[in-house]
Amino acid sequence: MYKFSDLDVEHIDLTNYNNIFRISSYAYIHCSNLKSVIIGKNVSRISSEAFANCQNLHDLHILSTDIKINARAFAYDMNLSNVSIADAVLEIGEDAFYCCKNLKHIEYAGTMNDWKRYCVKSPMAFSSQF
């Protein structure tokens, strides 16, 4: 389990941490300086609201294929514009990307109908790879 408290962090790269398996609820909530996140292959769960309301988060890359992304994990990340999620992700909770209104580029192996369920109130005018 990983819990973070430094709100000044700008970039998170968890690719080299083999002992981080889960990101706790609220771990990075309201991290206003956070701009990019890379989730490593060993992470198996991103808990509810772990990255919620990170107003400057633009880029998210999830490398783990054996991962569950809980509901509202990235909710209200208003400036999130680029998301890349590895193939065969186990589960994405409902509204995981709730109100992420600036999503422009999404790489995700699921269907557009699946994505709409995760992105309530998110515009569909973006170039995506499904």
Side-chain angles (χ1 to χ4, degrees), residues 10-68:
E10 289 186 16
H11 306 283
I12 297 169
D13 184 345
L14 300 178
T15 56
N16 294 322
Y17 296 93
N18 295 328
N19 59 344
I20 296 176
F21 303 104
R22 183 178 77 155
I23 300 172
S24 301
S25 293
Y26 317 112
Y28 296 95
I29 194 167
H30 304 296
C31 282
S32 59
N33 291 325
L34 187 59
K35 296 177 183 174
S36 67
V37 174
I38 302 173
I39 304 295
K41 292 184 178 187
N42 290 329
V43 176
S44 62
R45 179 177 304 273
I46 301 173
S47 299
S48 297
E49 298 187 45
F51 293 91
N53 202 26
C54 295
Q55 294 301 312
N56 289 306
L57 180 60
H58 293 278
D59 298 302
L60 170 65
H61 304 281
I62 299 175
L63 305 176
S64 178
T65 57
D66 188 23
I67 192 168
K68 292 182 179 180

Side-chain angles (χ1 to χ4, degrees), residues 13 23 29 37 43 46 69 72-73 80 93 95 102 109 114 122:
D13 184 345
I23 300 172
I29 194 167
V37 174
V43 176
I46 301 173
I69 302 169
R72 293 183 179 253
L80 185 61
D95 295 341
N102 286 312
D114 289 340
S122 178

